[in-house]
Amino acid sequence: MSQPLIHNGRPQLGVLPHPPSRVNFLDFDYRSPMGKRRAAWRKKWAFHQFQYFGVISDQLIGGCALADLRWSTVGFFYLYQPSTGKRIEKRLKLPLGLASRFSKVPDNGVCEIAAAGVRMRLENHSAGRRKRLLVELADGTRMDAWFSEEQHQFNPMCICTRAAVNGWVYAQKVAGVPCEGQVSSALGDFDLAAIGAYAHHDWSAGFMRRETWWNWACTSGLADGVAVGFNLSCGVNETSITENCYWLDGQLHKVDGCFFEFDQDDVLKPWRVHSADGQVELSFTPAGMHGEQVNALLVASRFKQIFGRFNGVLTPKDGKPVQLKEFWGFVEDQYAKW
């Protein structure tokens, strides 16, 4: 039976067998770097949360991210059409959590931002372990996508690690799940199941590092009849254990630390992503990028998400290698101060 994440003021650390019933962050014994207990209001302002739902297919790539940074809430949505290189993008930024809500229950709650004729909503349902993304834009663009971890017998990666001297991060991730739903937009109308779309999902929250960076690689799809998804990163969630893993037909395979090799002066040149344990050996050829940069003294962000194709091999410790050929996905290079 699921339990709250925090017990006796401390979080459960490591890879968890199942999601916590709730992320009860106000029960955390939050202290300053010098050991002084923080007031409840300091806990509220230091706690951050975000959620992401992405869809990948040869015909359409899309996704939505929602973040509660306390001083503001941010929503970002995109659609990318590989055949034309065209994109639809929309970003919302609202002060102090206005017109938004963020559930603290990873498997049964709603995170949503709605303002100025735009709605971005992420639903997690315990019944059927179902995830749903609903986006409606003022220009008529609409995306309604969903998948069931239970139906496809997927187990998410649930991990909690320490962050800096006085924090922690809980992350719950899954990738490579067959996706259903519809998209209506200027790029065309799409039935996600009919175009063979696969989904990935990320629910993360905690007392994150004030200043951080990361590289991330993700994909979801079908390779030689095997449903494949991976979540690979460097720079976050790496205290004692990593979040790196991949799924083959729903089976979770844990991976050691990963390395990202790329040209920082030109991120649109080829990348190499590989793991210390030899399970992951990938090349990545960029096709396009979304980027933005903000430097506002107390907060800052340098974000680059690059769309492209992976080639390479995943080699399970106890199974047959899986080859990836011209496999759509993306990588990130990000710095954040929040």
Side-chain angles (χ1 to χ4, degrees), residues 25-188:
F25 73 98
L26 288 176
D27 294 331
F28 175 51
D29 183 8
Y30 183 48
R31 304 193 181 201
S32 75
M34 302 306 294
K36 182 180 179 180
R37 282 191 170 91
R38 298 289 202 187
W41 70 268
R42 295 290 295 268
K43 292 184 191 181
K44 292 181 179 179
W45 281 97
F47 182 81
H48 295 155
Q49 178 179 347
F50 62 86
Q51 190 174 174
Y52 178 79
F53 189 120
V55 174
I56 294 178
S57 72
D58 288 338
Q59 296 186 40
L60 189 71
I61 298 172
C64 180
L66 302 179
D68 178 8
L69 306 177
R70 294 303 176 178
W71 55 270
S72 73
T73 53
V74 177
F76 176 69
F77 170 74
Y78 68 90
L79 290 173
Y80 173 71
Q81 190 172 40
S83 62
T84 64
K86 293 181 178 179
R87 290 198 298 266
I88 294 173
E89 298 178 341
K90 182 64 180 180
R91 184 177 178 87
L92 280 179
K93 186 176 181 180
L94 304 173
L96 303 175
L98 297 175
S100 64
R101 56 174 167 159
F102 283 80
S103 169
K104 302 302 182 288
V105 181
D107 263 2
N108 197 34
V110 173
C111 295
E112 181 177 45
I113 297 178
V118 174
R119 184 186 189 194
M120 301 180 188
R121 179 182 175 94
L122 287 161
E123 302 175 2
N124 303 321
H125 299 280
S126 57
R129 293 166 54 207
R130 192 169 181 264
K131 316 293 185 187
R132 182 192 181 205
L133 166 65
L134 176 62
V135 176
E136 296 171 322
L137 304 185
D139 65 2
T141 298
R142 189 176 192 274
M143 182 174 188
D144 189 359
W146 62 87
F147 66 85
S148 167
E149 293 173 343
E150 183 175 271
Q151 178 182 351
H152 297 285
Q153 298 181 337
F154 271 70
N155 293 316
M157 164 63 74
C158 303
I159 185 172
C160 188
T161 60
R162 292 184 61 184
V165 68
N166 59 345
W168 49 266
V169 178
Y170 172 73
Q172 181 173 322
K173 306 195 177 193
V174 69
V177 191
C179 183
E180 300 178 61
Q182 295 79 36
V183 176
S184 299
S185 72
L187 301 178

